Amino acid sequence: QVQLVESGGGLVQAGGSLRLSCAVSGGAFRTYGMAWFRQAPGKEREFVAAISWTGGNTYYADLVKGRFTISRDNAKNTVCLQMNSLKAEDTAVYYCARSNQRVATVLLLRPYDYDYWGQGTQVTVSS
């Protein structure tokens, strides 16, 4: 069974940085795209960033573009999200997810494109 475990969340002041990590075990990693989503209280889960299975292509939600960077290490089965210049509106539970399409040729941006999810890590940005 594929398992995803996020870490790195916490409390940070506005303008600060955090680095989230997601460790994947129990199944294939290198041939699947990965993504980060987030969900704030009372809101739907929203896309944050995605990375192709090769790591060569990335895509970001407009709200985080230029501030967040997604990366992956296929040797370590991990995907990371570097978050800089954090804002109060970035406060949410962040989830990493593995796509349901092996060696996909396009980046997948919607929750239903992902079939394995981590338990989430809380990010709180104080203003």
Side-chain angles (χ1 to χ4, degrees):
Q1 181 73 3
V2 178
Q3 290 188 323
L4 289 75
V5 179
E6 302 99 336
S7 61
L11 173 65
V12 64
Q13 288 187 334
S17 298
L18 282 174
R19 184 176 179 84
L20 305 183
S21 294
C22 174
V24 182
S25 62
F29 174 78
R30 300 181 183 187
T31 52
Y32 289 87
M34 297 293 297
W36 288 91
F37 292 80
R38 68 186 183 186
Q39 188 167 18
K43 295 187 177 181
E44 293 187 353
R45 190 167 298 189
E46 66 176 359
F47 169 80
V48 175
I51 188 166
S52 64
W53 64 277
T54 64
N57 293 311
T58 58
Y59 188 82
Y60 299 91
D62 287 344
L63 289 174
V64 307
K65 197 172 297 182
R67 300 187 296 122
F68 291 11
T69 303
I70 188 172
S71 62
R72 66 187 296 158
D73 185 337
N74 282 349
K76 297 182 178 179
N77 284 15
T78 59
V79 60
C80 294
L81 185 69
Q82 178 66 43
M83 307 185 295
N84 299 328
S85 302
L86 283 162
K87 306 176 181 179
E89 50 264 43
D90 294 319
T91 294
V93 177
Y94 284 71
Y95 300 89
C96 68
R98 197 201 77 169
S99 74
N100 56 23
Q101 296 183 33
R102 186 175 175 273
V103 295
T105 56
V106 295
L107 288 172
L108 305 171
L109 309 182
R110 293 158 293 192
Y112 63 73
D113 292 323
Y114 293 82
D115 54 0
Y116 289 102
W117 296 78
Q119 81 289 349
T121 186
Q122 176 70 47
V123 171
T124 303
V125 184
S126 62
S127 57

